Amino acid sequence: MEDCIFCMLANGQIPTDMVYEDELCACFRDASPQAPVHMLLVPKKHIGSLNELECGDAELIAHMMLKIKEIAASEGLDNGYRCVINTGEDGGQTVPHLHIHILGKRSLLWPPG
């Protein structure tokens, strides 16, 4: 998609703090981190949200899910991490491009305590 910020970041049209990249996906640091480590893993193919996934995307999504543990390990998230996928307005999705938040380097227990 031409005007999608995550498409532009993932495909190198806009500079970003890239953590990982391959032919299918890109992972970069979140511009507004909610944890000491906060990255976004996005497909290079524009997919608006989980609700727009199709059967043909199964290999791409499996690839991304398997990359998460490698990316987490490369960032030293040995004590654990959280993955979040917001979907739709009520789900808190603010950018209409499927993305997986990877957060860590602090306790993410809920409720805190």
Side-chain angles (χ1 to χ4, degrees):
M1 178 178 257
E2 221 171 273
D3 61 345
C4 173
I5 187 77
F6 282 180
C7 284
M8 292 186 272
L9 290 165
N11 292 300
Q13 295 169 283
I14 297 175
T16 189
D17 188 359
M18 193 69 70
V19 175
Y20 174 83
E21 180 180 17
D22 63 28
E23 67 282 351
L24 298 176
C25 62
C27 184
F28 44 85
R29 299 196 191 285
D30 193 298
S32 300
Q34 303 299 306
V37 172
H38 187 170
M39 303 169 288
L40 302 173
L41 178 62
V42 304
K44 288 189 173 181
K45 172 186 175 184
H46 183 80
I47 301 171
S49 74
L50 281 176
N51 288 339
E52 293 184 21
L53 284 174
E54 298 175 349
C55 290
D57 298 318
E59 187 175 327
L60 167 63
I61 296 307
H63 173 78
M64 290 176 61
M65 295 304 290
L66 291 168
K67 287 296 168 190
I68 291 172
K69 67 180 180 179
E70 293 176 25
I71 294 166
S74 74
E75 291 292 308
L77 301 180
D78 305 320
N79 203 38
Y81 53 93
R82 175 176 290 164
C83 296
V84 177
I85 302 173
N86 300 323
T87 305
E89 185 178 343
D90 284 351
Q93 185 177 7
T94 57
V95 177
H97 185 115
L98 177 64
H99 55 287
I100 303 169
H101 295 262
I102 305 168
L103 302 106
K105 285 289 186 185
R106 74 167 171 84
S107 175
L108 296 164
L109 292 176
W110 190 257

